[in-house]
Each structure stands twice: as structure tokens, then as C-alpha cells.
Amino acid sequence: QVQLVESGGGLVQAGDSLRLSCSCSGRPESANALGWFRQAPGKEREFVAAINWAHTTYYGDSVKGRFTISRDNAKNTAALQMNNLGPEDAAVYYCATSRFGSMRAIPSRDPGVWRYWGQGTQVTVSS
């Protein structure tokens, strides 16, 4: 039913910036939150950032101050602006969406409770 497609990944050098986009289609749940997670080889999926319908934002400690999440409610799209990238940021980045109760609800940081996921986009950072 719901489909998410990420784009914008690629190869960058340490210190560079990159912008990821996520498009959601197929009738998502009302008042949905949008989020970004990442997974490096051999590691568990990690919370990166999330934004609820009211545009409140939440960030993982490792990216706060460097990454910015945004959304367009009418288009149901999300973006992740990533600045000052380092080798520790290299991973497959996934966008996800779920409803958490209301437009102002706090999204979960646990990837296991998010309902719909995209296929991911690769971000590679050279050191």
C-alpha cells in the first residue's frame, strides 16, 4: 500500500555535504511522522532524525547540529540535509513513516515500531 523511495545518496569526501530526499505515496496514514534511519555493515539500524506532522524535529545524538530534517505536508515528502559528513556517517539511509497518535506526537526512536520503509540509499564517505 504505502511506498517510500529515497534518493540523493552517493560518494562524498569527509567534510562534504549531501541532501537526501524521500517521497511517500500510496495513501499513508493521516498525521504520519517521517523519519530517517541508517545501517552500516555489521551494525544495527540506528535512529538519525524524525519529524512529526506539526514539524517538530528530533535527532540522534551523533548527528545533532550537523543534520537537518524537513518535510512538506502537502506532498508528503521529507528531506535530510547532512553537513560535515565523516566516515562514521557512511551507511545505507532509510526513510520510514508511521502514525504515533496525533499530529504533535513524539515519534519513536526504535526502528522496530515504524510501519513502512523505503529500500534505502547508499551514502559513502571517504576519509
Side-chain angles (χ1 to χ4, degrees):
Q1 186 181 11
V2 175
Q3 297 186 64
L4 297 137
V5 180
E6 305 96 336
S7 62
L11 172 64
V12 299
Q13 295 186 350
D16 286 354
S17 297
L18 201 61
R19 184 177 179 87
L20 306 181
S21 297
C22 175
S23 178
C24 182
S25 63
R27 197 175 178 85
E29 295 177 288
S30 61
N32 66 310
L34 293 166
W36 288 95
F37 296 78
R38 66 188 183 187
Q39 189 164 23
K43 295 187 176 182
E44 294 185 342
R45 192 162 296 189
E46 175 190 17
F47 173 78
V48 175
I51 183 168
N52 64 20
W53 195 91
H55 289 259
T56 305
T57 57
Y58 308 86
Y59 297 95
D61 290 340
S62 63
V63 306
K64 196 165 189 176
R66 298 187 297 122
F67 291 11
T68 302
I69 187 172
S70 60
R71 70 180 293 166
D72 185 327
N73 288 2
K75 298 179 180 179
N76 203 26
T77 58
L80 184 70
Q81 178 66 43
M82 305 184 293
N83 296 331
N84 194 24
L85 287 163
E88 69 276 11
D89 298 312
V92 176
Y93 282 71
Y94 300 89
C95 64
T97 186
S98 274
R99 176 178 168 84
F100 292 100
S102 72
M103 297 178 181
R104 295 181 177 273
I106 301 174
S108 174
R109 294 171 179 258
D110 180 2
V113 305
W114 289 69
R115 181 163 175 79
Y116 300 104
W117 294 84
Q119 292 293 308
T121 185
Q122 177 73 237
V123 173
T124 304
V125 184
S126 62
S127 60

